[in-house]
Amino acid sequence: MAVAREFEYFRPETLEHSISLLGEYGENARVLAGGTDMALKIKQGVETPKAVVDIKGISELERLESTDNGLHLGALVTFSQVMASGLVAANFPLLRDAAATVGSVGIRNRATLVGSLCSAVPSLDIGPALLVHEAVVLTRSAGGTRKTGINKWFTGPKQCALEPGELVTGIVVPLPPGKAGGCYVKRGRYAGKDPAQAGVGILAMEKNDYRVAFCAVGPVAKRAPSIETCLHGQELTDPLIKAAQALVPQEISPITDIRASKAYRTLIIKVMLERGLKTAVSRLKGKPSAHGAIWI
Amino acid sequence: MEAMEELKFVGKPTPRIDQQEKVLGAARYVDDLDFGPNLLHAQVVESSLAHARIKKIDTSEAEKLPGVVKVVTGKDFPYHFGLYMQDRHIFAQDKVRFAGEQVAAVIARDLATAKRAAKRVKIIYEPLPAILDPREAVKKDATLIHPELGAYSHVPWFFPKPGSNIAHWRKVRKGDTIQGFAEADLIFADTYRVPRYAHCSIELHGAIGLCDHSGRITVWAASQSPHTQRHIFAQALAPLGFTHQNLRVITPYVGGGFGGKAGVTMEILAAALPTLVKGYPIKIHWTREQEFYNTYQRPALVGTLKMGVKKDGTITAFDYLIHWDAGAYVEYGANVVNASGLSATGPYRIPNVRIDALCVYTNLPPGGPYRGFGYPELLFGVESHTTRMAQQLGMDVVAFKRKNAIREGDKLPYGAPMTPNGLTECIDRVVKTIEWGKKEEHSDPNKAIGKGFAIFWKAPAMPPNAASSAFLKFNEDASVNLLISAVEIGQGVLTAMAQIAAEILTVPPEKIRVESPDTDRNPYEWQTVASHVAWGTGNAVKRAAIDAREQIFEAVHHACFLEKDALYLEDEAVKCRTQPGFALLLKEIVINGIMVEDGTYRGGPIMGRGTFMPRFTSAMGDPDTGQGGHPCVHYTVGAAALTLEVDKQTGRMKVLKAVEAIDAGKAINPQIVKDQICGGLLQGLGTVLYEDMRFDESGKLLNPNFTDYKLPTAMDIPDEVIPIIVETPQADGPFGARGIAEHPTIPAAPMVANAVCDAVGVRVKSMPVTAEKVGLALAAGQTEVE
Amino acid sequence: MKKTITLTLNGDARSVDVETTETLLAVLRNKLGVKSPKCGCDQGECGACTVLLNGKSVRSCLIFSVEVDGQEVVTLEGLSHNGPTPLQQAFIDRSAFQCGYCAPGVILSATELLTVNPHPTQTEVQEAIAGNLCRCTGYESLIEAILAASRE
Ligand SMILES: Cc1cc2nc3c(=O)[nH]c(=O)nc-3n(C[C@H](O)[C@H](O)[C@H](O)COP(=O)(O)OP(=O)(O)OC[C@H]3O[C@@H](n4cnc5c(N)ncnc54)[C@H](O)[C@@H]3O)c2cc1C
């Protein structure tokens, strides 16, 4: 078994206490939520904190509730909770569908959405869904609170806009302006758990308004503005899809790695875009369509 | 004989006798054993380079760390070891030959200290050119990986070429291939590639060794081969004065083997290290990462296959040149090359055969046994190629294969006659079940459906004198302890052996405890490999049970004056054909004997013994032709087919239905046989669809983890699997049985490749057949993928 | 750094001294004598170390033992206080496991499934155990056993 470097363990029960600990230990402190990422890194020696601040004792971070115009997901909300939530199912099925593609039950029971945003790997499955829903990340530090639009959150591979001494308290996901149909399309090497080799999240809204976001085909998960502009205001037709697909190369910068080649990522992301768009639109139109993400 | 009579326990889906323990959390595996407060931990220091000379090892910084007991290097153990060829050392000596090879080890009071200290061991290397490709390795001026090759001792059926990187060259020459190709109407050649694979038993390798103060070594190991391990330990440690007598290997339940825990790999450390720290048990346990790069790997190959056929579909000639990437040490792997090389034609009747199977050293981890023992790798090429040749002839693929399928008495590649088999029955039943020839359309226009078919065979690969034995003793309640040294690695051997003993003794299997091996107590078994234990150990168990039965009859004969010939066992009692009312319950006599008139007793504790030695095998074939010997005891054959859905835009595949028929001779436990088929098939499908080992250009493994080495999950199984059991009795098998456990993996790869081609017209000639390969080929309009 | 933690383990109150760096898996196996959770990969990928933490299946190799102070842990050993559960009996009846190394994790994952969803579809069963790698069975027998238990 792997053996971690020594650290001191804290389990604060208030936000204030956790933030003061982060301030006190500065660079040497690490926040621990579900630990599916952090515990592994500590065991492997990739992270060697002196202080581990476990935030699971802070009950106010557990909130999963609707707000005036959307949904509040506290920093401790796990993927399993999102999948089981009636609130999410009713208004944000895309979030649920994307959450269901993350790892397996034993991971999702522990892993938080916020932890996923903070680990900020390019392949994070929840990225596209939060991007197209234009979620806002709520952070807090000794200096006060801050809101960051999700499109500004990811700053590089495994890098995000979190500042030293800052804690994410939750995510706010606004309701789409009207009716919407969503679809997450994930490419994995198989149907079992696998990090995405490409992911597309789509939200089709009334008046032919579309939002499109990608993960795992560039250094960060991101929206695809040129594709959205191309689609905007138009009925989804095969020629329109072709036009959108033609814009894919300028929106992505995939690499070749052990999981997939650049050529293959480029090939399938277009197929994924097409299938995602069609499914999202049919869901918008209320066509009976099996819920769930599409695996490619 | 027995097959004629009604069988009560053999041939029945008896519940597994290990199941309660495994389901209730009682089963103990090696990592679960406790060794008290004196337990020490060892951590190896591994080579960072694939090929280098060791200039200097500085252990001083490591030794200074509190809690470190000892730092050990190759100087402490300059001894060779190996199963078939002694080309390995306990620690690297002057050179390292693969990245990850053990160069030193730290023994410490706790694992954290051992790990920390291991990082402080400084090794200075002088890099040497690393050879990763077997076809580079055989070039004339290639760097020699083992310049000492000529000095290594090895079994007589290996033919190393000192002064080259060829550790063994298996040649088969049958008939006249020049003539055979001349007779052909169609000749076709192509090259197939198979990468390396990992066994991935969920249990990691682990072993604990103790050299007690009297100088006796006990090793507890997760092992498929306790006796063979003891033997190899005795050979390696002979210079220190150890012999078999003062070595003991104990093996509890094993959490999966698949060949990876056969022979000796890391366990050598658990035998050697304790000799330096007497009185302290030392635990050495691999991580998942080490499991990938420092145990055996399934070797890779590049094979060029040329075949000639007549218009009517008769195969006239076969020429297979195979370069095996066998890795840095081939002490076990060379026998993979040897055994599969002898049967590299696949199950076909071919008059003119030329096979060159080269076992080539490379600077990659040691190649070794993996479920299928070379056959899945070789048959990927053969079963792809025969399919393509049938298509080129315009012949139905199944008809072509069936026409050429080997039958009993046909001459094998090495000249001996083919053993009894139900290959055509397997073919016919598979074809019917898969509805061969019926084209299926997908409702989704983006998807196509194809069918793939393959036939296969495999013989146990073992030395001609690979023996088994069994010992059984009765308890007062007529329950039985059956002692064997075949290991329960999941295949169900405990249950099958209990069924065989039960059949003879009429004691139900649940009253028979089958004990896991302890070389001090359990009798000899060569290894739990080669799918030979159902057959070999099964024979020994049957003989042990008959031996016990004879002792019972003998006692009854003396005490009751009944003719032995008239006695028989039924429902745990001795009965007599000539005296219908006579019945003696076993539980009344098997320990306490039988009282006679004067109050004295006859009989006494009943203990049966049985041994089995294959009778007609020999490895005495001619080195240049392979002719003359009788290296294989028998063949298990089968056929399989599947229906595959392929996404024409992405290449994504899904197995809709898979059918596999295997000739078990006699299925001792049909449920276990079917479960072997389901499990083995998915393991095979994993190798073709998802898995493969990737190395960088320096020879470092890039995916030593389950994140990027993709084992199929419960989401990745065929929609439907139909296992079929065929039973053509094996004359010398217990109740007609022969082994089936490795075989289910074999047809998976070629039948997927064949189905992809049937569905979308893309022929993939290298494993794995991934969605990426198929998808990119389809997008580019390519019909072949190298 | 040392700490003393208290937890309910298979129904018993247990107290144990741990290092903050020790995983729950290591503490269960090495300090609390509970051997059913296995170390198969140490990275959360294989599921052999699965335990139920407050009723939910989690990877004990990705949890530091200090995190479970005051909480409830159930391992395979804790299921059969009153004899095998119907699910365990279904696995026994089906002779579902081969080598058995994945069994503790598979059984706990399936236990959780049947608690929240007593009558799952086959796909739901497959999803529930998708995080538990099994190299032996091809999963067919495991799925059959879980479905059989759900029909009880
Ligand atoms: C086996 C396995 C399979 C996986 N499969 C997938 C997959 O298919 N798809 C996918 O998208 N992901 C996958 N993941 C990644 C997983 O989603 C993330 O590890 C998880 O979401 C991180 O959440 P956590 O609560 O465990 O975070 P932790 O591990 O606790 O923390 C992650 C990072 O976020 C920081 N952090 C956490 N919470 C806060 C906070 N409130 N404020 C500030 N910083 C914080 C931590 O300091 C750390 O740097 C997988 C992981 C594993 C182990």
Side-chain angles (χ1 to χ4, degrees):
Chain A
M1 272 184 239
V3 184
R5 263 263 285 284
E6 290 260 301
F7 59 80
E8 199 162 347
Y9 172 80
F10 297 97
R11 194 183 175 94
E13 291 184 357
T14 62
L15 266 179
E16 292 69 26
H17 187 196
S18 64
I19 284 165
S20 78
L21 283 167
L22 292 182
E24 189 182 330
Y25 284 88
E27 276 296 283
N28 293 318
R30 289 292 179 278
V31 173
L32 181 72
T36 57
D37 179 53
M38 186 46 85
L40 194 59
K41 285 184 176 148
I42 293 176
K43 285 194 335 178
Q44 292 174 335
V46 178
E47 293 276 7
T48 53
K50 292 211 172 98
V52 167
V53 181
D54 182 353
I55 58 173
K56 289 192 289 298
I58 307 172
S59 50
E60 68 183 277
L61 297 181
E62 288 170 5
R63 282 162 50 205
L64 190 175
E65 59 196 22
S66 49
T67 60
D68 297 345
N69 66 336
L71 184 70
H72 177 95
L73 300 168
L76 289 173
V77 172
T78 63
F79 288 102
S80 288
Q81 285 167 333
V82 163
M83 286 170 68
S85 156
L87 269 181
V88 175
N91 298 314
F92 302 92
L94 176 59
L95 277 188
R96 180 203 53 195
D97 293 350
T101 70
V102 173
S104 55
V105 184
I107 297 296
R108 296 194 295 262
N109 278 345
R110 198 77 181 159
T112 63
L113 277 70
V114 167
S116 181
L117 290 187
C118 294
S119 65
V121 293
S123 65
L124 85 170
D125 285 307
I126 205 66
L130 290 173
L131 280 160
V132 297
H133 273 297
E134 303 191 334
V136 176
V137 184
L138 312 177
T139 53
R140 186 162 155 182
S141 65
T145 60
R146 204 159 66 91
K147 291 183 179 180
T148 311
I150 185 83
N151 60 337
K152 298 237 165 66
W153 181 255
F154 304 109
T155 54
K158 302 187 186 176
Q159 283 164 11
C160 65
L162 190 71
E163 309 233 311
E166 224 177 12
L167 191 78
V168 178
T169 54
I171 315 169
V172 169
V173 193
L175 278 169
K179 266 182 68 184
C183 183
Y184 180 55
V185 191
K186 174 170 177 173
R187 153 69 197 173
R189 283 162 291 188
Y190 58 33
K193 64 201 165 57
D194 198 24
Q197 286 105 61
V200 187
I202 288 163
L203 206 59
M205 293 171 295
E206 290 167 321
K207 303 195 192 111
N208 293 321
D209 200 5
Y210 307 86
R211 294 182 193 158
V212 177
F214 296 126
C215 69
V217 282
V220 295
K222 65 178 280 285
R223 289 274 287 272
S226 71
I227 294 175
E228 291 180 3
T229 310
C230 158
L231 294 167
H232 185 75
Q234 311 221 39
E235 202 62 45
L236 194 67
T237 59
D238 285 343
L240 181 65
I241 290 171
K242 284 235 151 52
Q245 283 175 321
L247 295 169
V248 164
Q250 72 187 60
E251 288 289 358
I252 64 174
S253 42
I255 54 164
T256 290
D257 63 14
I258 192 164
R259 293 172 192 162
S261 67
K262 179 177 175 176
Y264 188 59
R265 284 187 159 106
T266 308
L267 169 74
I268 55 170
I269 198 91
K270 292 182 188 162
V271 179
M272 292 164 69
L273 177 66
E274 171 176 1
R275 294 190 191 173
L277 281 168
K278 285 181 171 166
T279 307
V281 167
S282 83
R283 286 176 183 169
L284 168 69
K285 293 182 177 159
K287 290 240 176 73
S289 125
H291 274 298
I294 298 177
W295 283 80
I296 294 285
Chain B
M1 287 282 278
E2 290 81 358
M4 296 305 196
E5 294 166 22
E6 178 81 22
L7 294 174
K8 200 161 170 206
F9 298 112
V10 164
K12 302 288 184 295
T14 304
R16 290 179 64 119
I17 63 175
D18 57 353
Q19 208 59 193
Q20 297 249 359
E21 283 175 72
K22 288 176 176 172
V23 170
L24 300 178
R28 284 286 174 271
Y29 302 80
V30 89
D31 193 30
D32 301 337
L33 307 177
D34 285 318
F35 291 86
N38 268 356
L39 180 66
L40 303 177
H41 296 265
Q43 171 71 30
V44 295
V45 182
E46 299 164 338
S47 162
S48 53
L49 299 174
H51 200 193
R53 211 176 294 284
I54 301 173
K55 301 301 283 181
K56 190 164 177 246
I57 304 179
D58 179 359
T59 60
S60 55
E61 286 303 308
E63 278 154 1
K64 280 185 205 151
L65 207 66
V68 169
V69 175
K70 209 166 188 60
V71 183
V72 185
T73 69
K75 282 210 185 75
D76 297 292
F77 294 105
Y79 315 128
H80 277 107
F81 76 97
L83 179 63
Y84 293 109
M85 159 124 84
Q86 300 205 355
D87 65 353
R88 279 199 87 160
H89 283 93
I90 298 172
F91 289 100
Q93 299 288 308
D94 55 329
K95 265 190 205 173
V96 290
R97 294 186 177 85
F98 71 94
E101 180 171 8
Q102 64 257 27
V103 180
V106 176
I107 305 168
R109 303 230 173 262
D110 63 273
L111 187 59
T113 305
K115 287 192 188 245
R116 230 174 296 136
K119 289 210 180 101
R120 295 190 179 188
V121 174
K122 301 246 158 10
I123 306 169
I124 299 171
Y125 296 105
E126 176 193 318
L128 295 167
I131 311 183
L132 310 180
D133 177 344
R135 295 200 298 187
E136 292 298 318
V138 296
K139 287 192 175 151
K140 242 189 143 80
D141 49 358
T143 307
L144 291 186
I145 296 172
H146 287 265
E148 320 78 350
L149 177 58
Y152 295 156
S153 62
H154 58 82
V155 292
W157 65 87
F158 284 179
F159 310 107
K161 308 287 166 217
S164 81
N165 286 317
I166 299 172
H168 173 43
W169 189 330
R170 166 47 65 194
K171 294 181 187 174
V172 177
R173 305 284 183 268
K174 177 189 166 195
D176 178 349
T177 43
I178 296 175
Q179 178 69 25
F181 282 114
E183 286 167 11
D185 296 314
L186 170 69
I187 296 172
F188 177 56
D190 212 336
T191 297
Y192 300 88
R193 286 181 176 75
V194 182
R196 288 172 163 246
Y197 289 94
H199 307 78
C200 298
S201 55
I202 306 302
E203 180 195 34
L204 300 161
H205 276 65
I208 298 92
L210 168 68
C211 182
D212 68 20
H213 289 295
S214 78
R216 193 153 201 272
I217 299 176
T218 304
V219 175
W220 291 260
S223 164
Q224 292 177 239
S225 321
H227 281 87
T228 288
Q229 292 201 333
R230 182 182 65 174
H231 184 59
I232 292 174
F233 296 161
Q235 282 182 329
L237 301 178
L240 297 175
F242 290 94
T243 69
H244 297 78
Q245 190 198 340
N246 39 39
L247 274 158
R248 176 183 186 187
V249 178
I250 298 175
T251 296
Y253 276 126
V254 172
F258 313 107
K261 290 169 184 158
V264 167
T265 55
M266 55 84 79
E267 302 82 9
I268 194 76
L269 298 167
L273 296 179
T275 61
L276 302 176
V277 201
K278 283 197 180 138
Y280 290 86
I282 302 178
K283 181 165 184 169
I284 170 144
H285 202 270
W286 265 188
T287 61
R288 179 54 66 185
E289 222 177 333
Q290 289 172 307
E291 187 75 18
F292 274 100
Y293 61 65
N294 195 2
T295 60
Y296 296 124
Q297 298 180 354
R298 186 171 116 171
L301 66 74
V302 182
T304 298
L305 180 52
K306 181 172 146 191
M307 281 176 78
V309 294
K310 287 198 180 145
K311 279 204 190 89
D312 70 356
T314 310
I315 303 175
T316 59
F318 178 99
D319 184 337
Y320 207 174
L321 170 63
I322 309 138
H323 286 89
W324 283 94
D325 150 27
Y329 302 100
V330 303
E331 46 90 20
Y332 203 145
N335 210 42
V336 176
V337 175
N338 187 70
S340 60
L342 285 162
S343 305
T345 52
Y348 293 104
R349 177 189 337 102
I350 307 176
N352 307 297
V353 175
R354 180 189 168 105
I355 298 165
D356 290 282
L358 279 71
C359 175
V360 184
Y361 282 124
T362 60
N363 292 114
L364 291 172
Y370 178 112
R371 192 178 197 175
F373 212 71
Y375 288 76
E377 298 92 302
L378 291 178
L379 290 191
F380 173 67
V382 172
E383 283 304 281
S384 297
H385 207 71
T386 49
T387 301
R388 300 169 76 191
M389 294 209 75
Q391 285 159 348
Q392 290 180 24
L393 281 174
M395 224 175 137
D396 174 67
V397 168
V398 170
F400 175 80
K401 296 191 183 199
R402 195 176 188 285
K403 179 186 174 81
N404 292 290
I406 198 160
R407 288 164 205 244
E408 181 177 354
D410 284 343
K411 257 170 94 184
L412 291 159
Y414 45 85
M418 177 61 182
T419 51
N421 70 85
L423 182 53
T424 45
E425 186 184 343
C426 289
I427 294 173
D428 294 344
R429 289 180 65 182
V430 163
V431 160
K432 189 155 176 254
T433 313
I434 202 74
E435 299 180 278
W436 185 256
K438 186 173 145 198
K439 190 77 195 155
E440 289 173 36
E441 291 290 326
H442 205 289
S443 54
D444 179 344
N446 288 325
K447 292 184 178 143
I449 294 180
K451 285 181 184 170
F453 175 80
I455 61 176
F456 57 95
W457 70 355
K458 184 190 173 292
M462 42 190 229
N465 59 341
S468 301
S469 53
F471 178 68
L472 69 82
K473 55 195 179 83
F474 270 99
N475 303 310
E476 290 86 337
D477 58 352
S479 67
V480 172
N481 292 72
L482 174 58
L483 278 65
I484 55 172
S485 291
V487 183
E488 177 59 66
I489 50 178
Q491 82 285 47
V493 65
L494 302 187
T495 308
M497 294 303 119
Q499 285 176 266
I500 289 174
E503 192 63 49
I504 303 293
L505 298 171
T506 74
V507 173
E510 61 270 20
K511 281 184 75 176
I512 300 177
R513 267 193 66 88
V514 187
E515 308 296 346
S516 287
D518 169 345
T519 56
D520 269 6
R521 306 195 198 306
N522 294 34
Y524 181 83
E525 172 64 56
W526 168 60
Q527 300 196 81
T528 302
V529 300
S531 303
H532 89 112
V533 300
W535 172 76
T537 317
N539 272 322
V541 167
K542 188 176 165 198
R543 288 174 186 176
I546 290 171
D547 184 35
R549 186 179 66 188
E550 287 307 305
Q551 292 170 33
I552 294 167
F553 290 169
E554 185 77 21
V556 174
H557 167 65
H558 283 295
C560 309
F561 306 106
L562 295 170
E563 282 307 315
K564 264 167 57 179
D565 288 353
L567 298 175
Y568 65 99
L569 296 180
E570 190 175 70
D571 299 336
E572 302 183 66
V574 186
K575 298 189 177 170
C576 181
R577 287 192 190 85
T578 54
Q579 290 204 27
F582 178 83
L584 266 181
L585 294 180
L586 288 181
K587 66 179 176 195
E588 284 166 6
I589 62 172
V590 286
I591 292 291
N592 294 322
I594 308 165
M595 192 173 78
V596 294
E597 272 168 27
D598 65 357
T600 61
Y601 284 79
R602 302 291 175 270
I606 302 294
M607 298 180 283
R609 66 173 188 97
T611 62
F612 178 73
M613 175 66 83
R615 288 304 289 267
F616 53 83
T617 40
S618 97
M620 311 275 274
D622 175 56
D624 293 321
T625 65
Q627 302 300 308
H630 203 311
C632 296
V633 290
H634 56 250
Y635 287 84
T636 299
V637 300
L642 53 69
T643 311
L644 187 77
E645 169 192 295
V646 185
D647 188 319
K648 291 186 274 188
Q649 290 180 304
T650 65
R652 187 180 180 84
M653 288 162 273
K654 177 157 184 42
V655 180
L656 303 176
K657 179 173 178 174
V659 185
E660 180 159 15
I662 298 190
D663 187 349
K666 171 78 191 172
I668 305 286
N669 184 323
Q671 188 60 56
I672 289 180
V673 172
K674 287 181 186 166
D675 289 348
Q676 284 297 305
I677 294 178
C678 287
L681 182 65
L682 188 65
Q683 189 169 6
L685 290 173
T687 63
V688 60
L689 292 170
Y690 313 123
E691 301 169 33
D692 70 335
M693 299 185 112
R694 308 272 193 90
F695 296 87
D696 69 12
E697 58 284 2
S698 75
K700 202 165 176 284
L701 181 61
L702 293 169
N703 54 340
N705 53 59
F706 290 142
T707 314
D708 288 312
Y709 188 94
K710 302 306 291 179
L711 243 57
T713 75
M715 301 291 288
D716 308 295
I717 59 177
D719 285 348
E720 188 183 9
V721 180
I722 303 173
I724 295 173
I725 300 173
V726 167
E727 296 186 321
T728 309
Q730 179 68 30
D732 65 353
F735 303 95
R738 66 174 81 79
I740 54 87
E742 292 170 275
H743 309 75
T745 59
I746 301 174
M751 69 178 170
V752 165
N754 291 340
V756 167
C757 195
D758 185 46
V760 294
V762 175
R763 171 56 61 179
V764 183
K765 297 186 288 187
S766 60
M767 286 175 67
V769 180
T770 57
E772 171 158 350
K773 281 184 190 168
V774 176
L776 286 173
L778 283 168
Q782 255 173 277
T783 55
E784 285 190 15
V785 181
E786 293 301 325
Chain C
M1 248 149 261
K2 292 210 187 327
K3 279 214 164 213
T4 304
I5 62 165
T6 306
L7 67 158
T8 308
L9 174 58
N10 295 330
D12 297 334
R14 299 287 296 265
S15 190
V16 58
D17 294 335
V18 302
E19 294 285 338
T20 52
T21 52
E22 284 179 297
T23 59
L24 176 58
L25 175 62
V27 168
L28 287 171
R29 292 181 55 83
N30 303 335
K31 294 191 165 165
L32 292 165
V34 168
K35 303 288 190 178
S36 75
K38 308 290 186 218
C39 179
C41 72
D42 219 13
Q43 299 191 356
E45 292 279 0
C46 78
C49 69
T50 302
V51 302
L52 297 181
L53 176 61
N54 307 321
K56 292 207 155 53
S57 67
V58 296
R59 301 283 186 265
S60 63
C61 75
L62 292 183
I63 296 175
F64 294 111
S65 65
V66 284
E67 294 178 62
V68 308
D69 190 18
Q71 300 178 46
E72 192 195 25
V73 174
V74 172
T75 68
L76 182 59
E77 290 88 342
L79 292 185
S80 49
H81 283 319
N82 306 311
T85 63
L87 174 67
Q88 284 177 308
Q89 193 57 50
F91 279 114
I92 293 170
D93 292 344
R94 175 58 184 80
S95 289
F97 292 104
Q98 294 185 19
C99 85
Y101 217 69
C102 72
V106 170
I107 295 171
L108 290 169
S109 294
T111 298
E112 179 190 31
L113 170 71
L114 296 186
T115 308
V116 295
N117 181 3
H119 302 290
T121 62
Q122 175 169 333
T123 307
E124 287 167 339
V125 170
Q126 287 171 271
E127 279 169 359
I129 60 168
N132 297 94
L133 295 178
C134 167
R135 191 57 148 172
C136 299
T137 63
Y139 304 102
E140 304 279 348
S141 58
L142 310 183
I143 295 164
E144 281 172 31
I146 298 167
L147 286 173
S150 76
R151 285 191 290 263
E152 288 284 300

